[in-house]
Amino acid sequence: MCENSWLERAVPPAVMKFRVSFINFLNSVPLGWGFLQGSYRDTFQLLFDVPSECARHLESGQADVGLIPVIEYQRIGGLRVLPEISISSKREVRSVLFVCSKPLLEVRRVAVDTSSRTSAALLEIILRTFYRRDEIVFEPHRPEPAEMLEKYDAALIIGNPALRVPNRPLHVVDLAAEWNRFTGLPFVFAVWAVRAGVELGEAASVFYASRREGLEQLDGIARSYSERLGLPREEVEVYLREHLDYGLDGENLRGLETFFQLAGELGLIEAPRPLRFYPVPAGVRGSSPECR
């Protein structure tokens, strides 16, 4: 059993009303469970967004903390990242897919879901850097998989809709698995970022407590979201337990640094900036997800 006595401390309610932009996808639910359904309900002012909107609200000052696509860390100045928390995948992720209506070598035009700029950058790195497909044209599109595949050779489909994509007769490429095949590293999709000038104080501990509660409730989350998504409960639970990683260990950080480097080489960002971490004491972070 992991030691989590630090969770027993009460955080003063007055400290807690930070504005938090949260990704409204299944993969983020375990991180937010504590303040969505658990012990810390109603402690934050929540904005429910797609990933790209999380970044926009953080940049504009409409949010104090956001669960942002990692590439936005390089595009928004002054951010600090909460250490040891992320949405990552060590191998295959299942919810970030490149779906082709024809063989990959025949693909010319790709519809890109505008919801996540990190996934769009990852796809471009894979196709241009790893496959040398510089002739492919990427076009932004609203997240409507059927419409995207009707008009284009292929589509980037992310989040909850990706979990319902059939394997046949389409050609489906899992982007985290493809990244791992070429680099041997995990892929980090999102991190908690704190806006410049914001000091969380004791409220920082809630993000770690919330993750702990979520990881303890994966069976309940799977049961609830299987009904919402129309997927078998076992399939949802396997997705959460085996395809996602909610830490930010050394291996994940190496994957993130490699992503920033390759994004810079393609001109998707300026010269990569190193991560700046929000100063959260080790005792406040509690136990790592490996204890689950």
Side-chain angles (χ1 to χ4, degrees):
M1 179 67 67
C2 301
E3 290 294 330
N4 287 287
S5 58
W6 58 279
L7 292 174
E8 298 172 4
R9 295 181 315 190
V11 179
V15 176
M16 302 298 297
K17 287 299 182 182
F18 290 100
R19 299 164 300 168
V20 175
S21 182
F22 189 69
I23 298 174
N24 199 20
F25 286 162
L26 170 62
N27 61 9
S28 65
V29 172
L31 288 186
W33 189 254
F35 52 77
L36 293 171
Q37 301 290 337
S39 304
Y40 298 91
R41 279 177 293 181
D42 302 321
T43 54
F44 292 138
Q45 181 181 335
L46 293 175
L47 302 169
F48 292 96
D49 293 318
V50 297
S52 57
E53 286 296 289
C54 283
R56 186 178 68 81
H57 284 141
L58 198 60
E59 184 174 27
S60 68
Q62 294 172 273
D64 301 305
V65 184
L67 188 58
I68 64 166
V70 292
I71 201 165
E72 299 299 344
Y73 173 83
Q74 297 290 342
R75 296 170 175 169
I76 302 172
L79 297 182
R80 291 172 292 173
V81 171
L82 291 182
E84 299 182 8
I85 303 182
S86 76
I87 298 176
S88 302
S89 178
K90 295 291 189 181
R91 301 289 186 276
E92 180 184 49
V93 70
R94 289 200 55 226
S95 55
V96 180
L97 303 178
F98 181 50
V99 182
C100 309
S101 59
K102 57 180 63 176
L104 179 59
L105 293 179
E106 298 177 17
V107 169
R108 294 292 181 273
R109 297 174 65 237
V110 176
V112 176
D113 186 339
T114 55
S115 299
S116 176
R117 294 160 188 161
T118 287
S119 299
L122 174 59
L123 176 61
E124 192 162 348
I125 288 170
I126 287 172
L127 292 179
R128 295 199 191 284
T129 300
F130 300 157
Y131 280 94
R132 305 295 182 186
R133 295 294 311 280
D134 291 328
E135 76 279 9
I136 288 181
V137 175
F138 301 90
E139 298 185 24
H141 199 285
R142 61 182 181 176
E144 296 287 348
E147 184 177 321
M148 296 161 87
L149 290 167
E150 180 181 352
K151 295 180 179 179
Y152 294 85
D153 300 330
L156 171 64
I157 301 174
I158 70 168
N160 297 345
L163 295 172
R164 294 190 289 265
V165 169
N167 288 323
R168 294 181 177 83
L170 303 169
H171 303 270
V172 180
V173 178
D174 185 294
L175 292 192
E178 201 72 354
W179 168 265
N180 180 263
R181 185 166 76 89
F182 281 98
T183 67
L185 295 167
F187 192 81
V188 180
F189 289 96
V191 292
W192 281 120
V194 182
R195 186 167 53 83
V198 172
E199 297 301 330
L200 296 175
E202 292 186 344
S205 68
V206 174
F207 294 94
Y208 297 88
S210 179
R211 177 183 62 179
R212 176 181 176 272
E213 290 190 3
L215 293 177
E216 290 176 347
Q217 296 295 325
L218 290 183
D219 56 344
I221 294 171
R223 186 164 50 251
S224 174
Y225 278 80
S226 68
E227 297 175 5
R228 300 188 194 188
L229 299 175
L231 295 170
R233 184 197 62 77
E234 296 81 3
E235 185 177 322
V236 175
E237 187 166 355
V238 167
Y239 168 67
L240 293 172
R241 289 190 186 278
E242 298 183 12
H243 294 276
L244 296 171
D245 179 75
Y246 293 102
L248 193 56
D249 60 16
E251 188 183 33
N252 288 2
L253 286 170
R254 287 192 296 275
L256 184 54
E257 290 164 0
T258 301
F259 172 65
F260 287 156
Q261 175 189 341
L262 294 175
E265 290 175 3
L266 283 184
L268 302 176
I269 59 173
E270 296 181 359
R273 294 181 287 114
L275 286 181
R276 291 179 61 231
F277 289 103
Y278 187 88
V280 181
V284 171
R285 302 175 205 168
S287 302
S288 70
E290 286 71 28
C291 292
R292 68 178 183 269

